[in-house]
Amino acid sequence: MTEDIEFSIVVPCYNEADGIAAFWARLQDVMATTGSRWEAIFVNDGSGDETLTRLNALSTEAAHIRIVDFSRNFGKEAAITAGLDNVRGKACIVIDADLQHPPETILLMIKLWRDGAEVVLGKRKTRDTDSALRKWFSSRFYDLAARLFEVPIPKDVGDFRLMDRKVVEALKQVRENQRFMKGLFAWVGFRTQVVEFEVAEREFGTSSFNLWRLMNFAVDGITSFTTAPLRLWFYVGSTISLCALLYGLYIVVTAIAFGNSVAGYPSLAALLSFIGGVQLIGIGVLGEYIGRIYKEAKYRPIYIVRDIIDK
């Protein structure tokens, strides 16, 4: 009976064929010690390798595996959303399949949940597995988020977490198309505890998150949870206008006192180029927000499911 399921494990998968078997073996060992009925929901996010084939093979061996197969790649945020939409347990754990999130940490999460926590966050102890550039970029993003976002985003906390069913139901009400799950997780609130874990080296495959994608991810977060960039450009524009007014007064006074001269064209050209560049940046920021409005207004589904395999 589905009402007897206590834990739902949501696992977004994209080209994870090589590591699925190792992940599943460790997850089973951990969950067997809980003494509870559980299910695993694997979301195949349009993988181009043998991920779906390997998942189908696992599902023939274990009755508590469900597979949500996307029609194409919709991204990790959509995959997590699809997993949450299909959970049946009293609590849900979101975890990556690459074993950088140690399944053994789930036991401590469950203990805190049973003690009353509604959300248990997995926080990485260090960023030793990241490059120096990625460490710097992540640190600057969290610093910026702490100052600008409408809700605080916990530092060094990713998608690895346990959520009570009431938290999942709250998240299911949020159907915006441009999704920044870290922000949405924080936005719904609820009583929260934190557990720390060591991030393991990735044993199988390579991460699909390069620096370019991480920068776009950061832009999504900023434009999803703050209008500060728009407000910033109001102040920038006001400051430049004031400077231009003062400069204009200076020119008038100089012309009256000393007469008009033809000198100053290089500085004038530089000033016009600077102002033009600032205007283009401001238009770009405004365009980013308008683009988000455009995408939301079309009200396309967050994801499309080709098949749900539930054996």
Side-chain angles (χ1 to χ4, degrees):
M1 298 295 290
T2 59
E3 57 267 22
D4 295 332
I5 297 175
E6 189 166 19
F7 301 110
S8 296
I9 316 294
V10 173
V11 190
C13 299
Y14 180 68
N15 293 341
E16 301 286 357
D18 293 339
I20 282 294
F23 167 79
W24 179 242
R26 281 179 62 180
L27 181 66
Q28 282 194 110
D29 289 344
V30 169
M31 296 308 296
T33 66
T34 65
S36 301
R37 191 169 179 219
W38 62 284
E39 64 175 355
I41 304 171
F42 289 92
V43 183
N44 180 40
D45 185 21
S47 297
D49 61 2
E50 297 296 314
T51 297
L52 182 60
T53 302
R54 305 283 174 86
L55 290 176
N56 277 321
L58 289 180
S59 68
T60 61
E61 303 172 3
H64 48 290
I65 287 182
R66 302 171 68 207
I67 304 169
V68 179
D69 184 30
F70 280 178
S71 61
R72 64 168 177 84
N73 176 248
F74 284 91
K76 187 178 181 182
E77 312 296 282
I80 293 174
T81 301
L84 298 180
D85 288 344
N86 284 275
V87 301
R88 299 178 294 189
K90 298 174 183 177
C92 164
I93 298 105
V94 180
I95 185 172
D96 289 349
D98 56 13
L99 289 177
Q100 289 194 294
H101 296 163
E104 293 75 17
T105 307
I106 292 175
L107 296 177
L108 182 53
M109 291 180 167
I110 289 175
K111 179 182 182 302
L112 292 174
W113 172 69
R114 286 175 171 162
D115 289 342
E118 295 166 323
V119 178
V120 183
L121 307 178
K123 179 179 180 179
R124 56 195 304 168
K125 291 182 179 179
T126 66
R127 287 191 168 270
D128 293 342
T129 57
D130 291 349
S131 66
L133 182 59
R134 185 164 177 172
K135 288 180 187 178
W136 181 88
F137 186 80
S138 297
S139 180
R140 298 293 77 74
F141 170 75
Y142 283 115
D143 291 343
L144 185 66
R147 291 178 172 87
L148 299 182
F149 282 21
E150 61 188 69
V151 291
I153 306 295
K155 189 173 184 178
D156 295 333
V157 171
D159 302 316
F160 186 29
R161 64 189 60 219
L162 178 148
M163 294 172 286
D164 188 87
R165 183 59 180 266
K166 64 171 69 75
V167 182
V168 174
E169 293 301 321
L171 285 165
K172 287 166 67 174
Q173 297 178 50
V174 184
R175 305 308 295 181
E176 59 196 63
N177 188 276
Q178 304 298 299
R179 303 180 74 77
F180 180 68
M181 293 306 298
K182 285 186 180 181
L184 295 180
F185 287 142
W187 184 81
V188 296
F190 294 95
R191 293 192 299 271
T192 302
Q193 295 284 345
V194 176
V195 297
E196 292 187 336
F197 68 93
E198 291 285 357
V199 178
E201 292 286 349
R202 189 180 177 103
E203 297 182 25
F204 305 96
T206 57
S207 174
S208 61
F209 275 89
N210 54 34
L211 185 60
W212 176 252
R213 292 190 65 182
L214 287 172
M215 290 178 65
N216 288 331
F217 187 65
V219 170
D220 283 342
I222 292 170
T223 52
S224 292
F225 284 90
T226 179
T227 57
L230 295 175
R231 191 174 299 113
L232 171 65
W233 284 105
F234 169 78
Y235 293 118
V236 170
S238 300
T239 302
I240 292 175
S241 297
L242 179 60
C243 292
L245 177 61
L246 295 175
Y247 184 63
L249 291 174
Y250 167 77
I251 292 174
V252 170
V253 172
T254 303
I256 293 174
F258 304 104
N260 193 14
S261 65
V262 295
Y265 281 106
S267 61
L268 182 61
L271 180 62
L272 289 174
S273 298
F274 172 72
I275 293 175
V278 170
Q279 288 175 330
L280 289 175
I281 294 173
I283 292 171
V285 173
L286 183 62
E288 182 68 31
Y289 281 91
I290 293 175
R292 296 184 69 84
I293 295 171
Y294 169 69
K295 291 178 180 179
E296 293 294 339
K298 290 186 290 187
Y299 203 66
R300 290 177 179 171
I302 300 169
Y303 58 85
I304 296 175
V305 175
R306 175 190 287 118
D307 193 15
I308 295 180
I309 302 167
D310 188 358
K311 299 180 180 180

